[in-house]
Amino acid sequence: MRSMGGEQVEEAVAGAVALLRTAADRDWQAVRAGRLEWSCRYTAEHVAGDLIAYAGQLAGRATEAYVPFGITLDEGTGNEDVLQVIETTGALLAATVRTTPREVRAFHPYPFRSANREGFAAMGVTEVLAHTHDIAEGLGLAYEPPAVLCADVLARIFPHVQPGADPWRTLLWATGRGELPGRAPVTDWRWRNNLLVPAERLTLQGVTPAAATDLAAGGDGGFEWVGGGPYQGTRDAAGMLLKAYEGGAHRPEWGVFVLVRRQDGRAVGGMGFHGPPDEDGRVEIGYDLAEAARGHGYATEALRALSGWALAREEVTSVFATTEPANLASQAVIVRAGFTRVAGDEEQLAYELRGRQG
């Protein structure tokens, strides 16, 4: 699986700086950056500020708010010097991403108040790509970053955006900077880092379309699995997620989660929803565990955590789970998680957990 990390940050920064250097002798302060209200000069400084801020969040392991610092450029700093600052802050973010353990998450407000190293790398790349476009547009320069880099960003922090044939045009549209045939203009946008649901011994980590693509193809999805994992059910669920993403119907918070053990960061199974809540507020949940992780109560713990998360949402009144009559172990997991049997036939038994509003 192609990761989103320091190499991609460096690639984005190098391409941006190489282009903008061709116009470093121009007056960036007097030129508006594309559709923004900012000048090209202020926009370039903003890019540098974002890159160092993201590096600071990861390096400082900030969990509650932004680390309260920023950068100030010396008086008389020219455009070429600003580009050097972008190169420097980009290198710092790249190095921080490379040296940050996979399980570390740091504060970012949108939308679930945290991001991992891939999320911060993707946000940094997006800032570089989008704002280089703005500056280039203001200065009359042609700019088109690599399509694979744009697709990488979309598949990680724009999981709610249906991919298109042209990843760069899709990313511009998703950030309110262009038009796409058949899609309404975007006037208000946010990227979406993956959701993490905590449990006692586990964390349930939302699977991005990038990870789902790899899992469905037989890869590890970027996770380190215990023996026997991932189980086929997780791969099948990843394929369903990918189909929804490609069709523009994926809602990330109602997707697939990998169960990661806190003690060693290893993935032990998968759990997820069959889709968003229906009109009656009902949502169905399914799960599996790698063979080496069974018999330790992980499935029960994760089912309680994810069901509790779902029932805390206003649009959810009940959570359903089904299992085969012969699967006594799965039935025991569902009952221990607080579900009550409500129906069944020769092929499937159905269980329900209702919320207070249900």
Side-chain angles (χ1 to χ4, degrees):
M1 172 179 163
R2 175 180 160 104
S3 63
M4 172 61 72
E7 181 181 345
Q8 286 69 40
V9 173
E10 291 168 342
E11 180 183 9
V13 169
V17 169
L19 174 70
L20 297 180
R21 277 209 169 105
T22 66
D25 59 343
R26 304 263 298 275
D27 184 357
W28 291 7
Q29 189 62 48
V31 180
R32 180 173 164 178
R35 305 183 185 191
L36 303 182
E37 297 296 330
W38 302 341
S39 70
C40 289
R41 171 57 182 260
Y42 180 84
T43 304
E45 294 178 5
H46 171 81
V47 171
D50 279 339
L51 293 173
I52 194 63
Y54 294 156
Q57 292 302 99
L58 280 178
R61 305 293 196 263
T63 59
E64 300 297 329
Y66 283 113
V67 178
F69 78 104
I71 58 173
T72 301
L73 275 63
D74 293 341
E75 185 176 351
T77 298
N79 294 337
E80 178 62 40
D81 298 319
V82 174
L83 294 177
Q84 184 181 22
V85 174
I86 291 176
E87 288 179 314
T88 302
T89 54
L92 289 171
L93 176 58
T96 304
V97 168
R98 286 192 176 102
T99 56
T100 298
R102 188 196 178 282
E103 295 307 305
V104 169
R105 294 182 75 92
F107 173 82
H108 189 279
Y110 306 118
F112 303 118
R113 298 185 66 79
S114 73
N116 61 13
R117 64 188 185 189
E118 282 208 348
F120 279 105
M123 289 187 288
V125 170
T126 302
E127 292 285 354
V128 172
L129 300 186
H131 288 314
T132 299
H133 164 80
D134 298 331
I135 298 170
E137 191 172 57
L139 297 173
L141 304 174
Y143 175 62
E144 181 147 356
V148 67
L149 187 59
C150 301
D152 283 346
V153 167
L154 287 167
R156 283 174 173 83
I157 58 171
F158 291 90
H160 54 296
V161 172
Q162 182 179 12
D166 186 331
W168 175 227
R169 301 293 177 269
T170 302
L171 182 58
L172 288 175
W173 171 82
T175 57
R177 289 172 167 82
E179 298 180 356
L180 281 181
R183 303 197 198 187
V186 172
T187 57
D188 185 27
W189 65 274
R190 296 288 185 194
W191 46 48
R192 298 178 69 86
N193 283 289
N194 67 326
L195 173 64
L196 184 146
V197 177
E200 183 180 353
R201 296 172 296 165
L202 307 169
T203 59
L204 283 66
Q205 301 182 16
V207 172
T208 65
T213 299
D214 190 59
L215 283 167
D220 59 17
F223 297 89
E224 183 180 352
W225 292 83
V226 298
Y231 199 66
Q232 186 59 42
T234 297
R235 297 196 187 282
D236 294 341
M240 294 171 60
L241 184 159
L242 188 58
K243 184 177 180 180
Y245 171 63
E246 292 172 343
H250 179 46
R251 289 180 60 184
E253 62 270 36
W254 302 108
V256 180
F257 298 79
V258 168
L259 317 183
V260 178
R261 202 159 52 192
R262 290 181 185 270
Q263 69 180 32
D264 57 8
R266 302 189 73 185
V268 299
M271 183 171 290
F273 301 102
H274 291 197
D278 64 19
E279 59 184 12
D280 296 321
R282 165 178 164 163
V283 65
E284 186 171 352
I285 199 168
Y287 60 90
D288 62 34
L289 286 181
E291 292 183 9
R294 296 173 185 174
H296 301 283
Y298 293 137
T300 300
E301 179 181 325
L303 186 56
R304 285 173 179 159
L306 194 56
S307 298
W309 180 89
L311 290 171
R313 313 274 77 76
E314 291 185 1
E315 66 267 42
V316 176
T317 58
S318 61
V319 180
F320 276 75
T322 62
T323 187
E324 297 174 354
N327 194 340
L328 300 181
S330 182
Q331 294 169 38
V333 166
I334 295 171
V335 171
R336 284 197 299 267
F339 286 67
T340 301
R341 183 176 170 183
V342 293
D345 53 34
E346 294 182 355
E347 296 184 356
Q348 292 286 326
L349 302 179
Y351 295 80
E352 179 187 44
L353 182 63
R354 300 188 67 83
R356 283 175 293 182
Q357 68 270 43

